[in-house]
Amino acid sequence: MTQIIDGKKISQEIRDSLKARVAELKKKYNRVPGLAVVLVGDDPASAVYVRMKGKGCDEVGLKSFQHILPESTNEKELLDLVEGLNNNPEVNGILVQLPLPKHINELAVINAINPDKDVDGFHPVNTGKMVNGDECLLPCTPAGIQELICRYAGDIKGKHLVVVGRSNIVGKPVANMMYQKNDRANCVVTICHTAAPDISVYTKQADILVVAAGKPHVVTGSMVKEGAVVIDVGVNRIPDPADNTKTKIVGDVEFDSAAPKAKAITPVPGGVGPMTIAMLLSNTVKAFEQQNS
Ligand code: GUN
């Protein structure tokens, strides 16, 4: 029987344990970790994510600072806000929701965040430490994927993990994290991407398959090895084939054909998605602890 990986349940377990940890920190320091989330513009999907991050903070007892800025905000104004947050002792974590409007240089903004407060793990200081296998704030979606793999894939040492996609947010970091020499990784890792003439050559060899291509149903059942653990990172809105007046959310993996082949598989929604917020909250608590140690 294929196991359906319940990201919602695991995310809840993590948030419950964070709630207890935050209560302990409150006793010890008489204050709680704070997370600042910055949204520029009115992208509806980003607005939903930012609201969910605020709700997550409330749930575990973190202080949340939300900065919702108009599309017309210029780069200097955003950099000034980031500098203010860097200097605010109540703010332990800073997240600037991406993508930013085109007139703002994303890299300049990421680089301006104090690496100690970079709870997204996107600052080059943190990505450099991650590649070197040093202690750092890890990016949230890859950290959530690693948690799911560790819970569902059994002994992963020496297993072949194949990543489809090479984005800075998921593909590159998850590949880097999973070949590191530690108990939560130590896989043999292959990355395949749009330049591969046929990605199925690689996906069929995967004991663990992480699909983060950003394209609906790029991986189908015939491309999955029998007994693989399949992690679908895709969130794609497509017209609903059952009702053409509606849309629905699907992953990068065709669930119905892939699930019977897999030992375990994440659904979309309800797989990787809920893990990202749990890891963001966890990074905020970790940042607080490091800043106070
Ligand atoms: N946009 C999509 N995913 C992410 C993320 O993990 N962090 C930020 N800051 N923006 C995103």
Side-chain angles (χ1 to χ4, degrees):
M1 265 297 278
T2 306
Q3 269 189 299
I4 308 301
I5 299 176
D6 191 345
K8 255 172 131 166
K9 177 166 152 271
I10 298 167
S11 164
Q12 189 61 56
E13 285 170 22
I14 293 169
R15 282 178 284 144
D16 288 344
S17 83
L18 284 172
K19 196 170 172 175
R21 217 161 117 200
V22 171
E24 286 299 313
L25 290 172
K26 191 172 178 182
K27 265 196 230 157
K28 185 168 173 191
Y29 294 99
N30 202 25
R31 58 194 189 87
V32 296
L35 172 66
V37 178
V38 181
L39 172 65
V40 185
D42 34 36
D43 177 61
S46 291
V48 171
Y49 290 133
V50 166
R51 258 202 312 280
M52 282 162 61
K53 287 165 186 174
K55 269 173 75 178
C57 285
D58 295 344
E59 189 196 337
V60 305
L62 302 181
K63 188 159 184 183
S64 156
F65 302 83
Q66 299 230 335
H67 296 268
I68 313 291
L69 308 178
E71 178 86 16
S72 58
T73 305
N74 65 38
E75 190 173 307
K76 166 86 169 58
E77 288 166 326
L78 183 55
L79 290 172
D80 287 347
L81 172 65
V82 168
E83 194 187 336
L85 297 172
N86 282 340
N87 295 326
N88 182 344
E90 277 197 292
V91 172
N92 305 100
I94 302 169
L95 178 145
V96 178
Q97 187 66 30
L98 303 178
L100 286 168
K102 291 202 173 12
H103 62 273
I104 299 179
N105 179 345
E106 248 170 41
L107 205 57
V109 175
I110 291 169
N111 288 350
I113 297 171
N114 177 344
D116 294 339
K117 296 191 177 187
D118 168 38
V119 284
D120 252 330
F122 291 166
H123 191 284
V125 165
N126 283 317
T127 54
K129 286 181 177 175
M130 175 194 68
V131 171
N132 288 348
D134 294 336
E135 176 63 31
C136 63
L137 292 165
L138 290 169
C140 304
T141 301
I145 294 167
Q146 184 175 40
E147 185 67 33
L148 295 180
I149 292 170
C150 288
R151 288 182 185 230
Y152 282 87
D155 183 10
I156 61 173
K157 180 180 175 184
K159 291 276 168 66
H160 189 189
L161 183 145
V162 176
V163 181
V164 182
R166 54 178 157 180
S167 71
N168 287 344
I169 292 184
V170 184
K172 281 183 207 165
V174 82
N176 269 291
M177 284 160 62
M178 294 311 296
Y179 66 64
Q180 299 292 337
K181 196 169 181 179
N182 65 58
D183 290 343
R184 290 168 58 77
N186 221 355
C187 294
V188 176
V189 173
T190 299
I191 307 180
C192 59
H193 45 72
T194 45
D198 178 6
I199 60 166
S200 76
V201 171
Y202 309 97
T203 62
K204 281 179 189 166
Q205 297 179 41
D207 302 312
I208 302 163
L209 181 60
V210 178
V211 189
K215 263 198 212 137
H217 297 169
V218 280
V219 170
T220 58
S222 64
M223 299 162 72
V224 174
K225 180 171 155 179
E226 198 72 47
V229 172
V230 179
I231 307 291
D232 185 353
V233 193
V235 182
N236 308 290
R237 189 172 283 283
I238 63 161
D240 187 345
D243 179 350
N244 64 11
T245 64
K246 291 191 179 140
T247 60
K248 65 180 224 173
I249 300 285
V250 298
D252 291 355
V253 177
E254 189 181 68
F255 185 88
D256 290 349
S257 62
K261 304 272 296 281
K263 176 173 105 170
I265 185 168
T266 57
V268 176
V272 172
M275 296 299 291
T276 299
I277 292 196
M279 294 301 153
L280 170 68
L281 303 172
S282 174
N283 271 352
T284 306
V285 173
K286 183 174 169 184
F288 176 96
E289 288 171 342
Q290 287 175 344
Q291 288 159 35
N292 286 282
S293 69

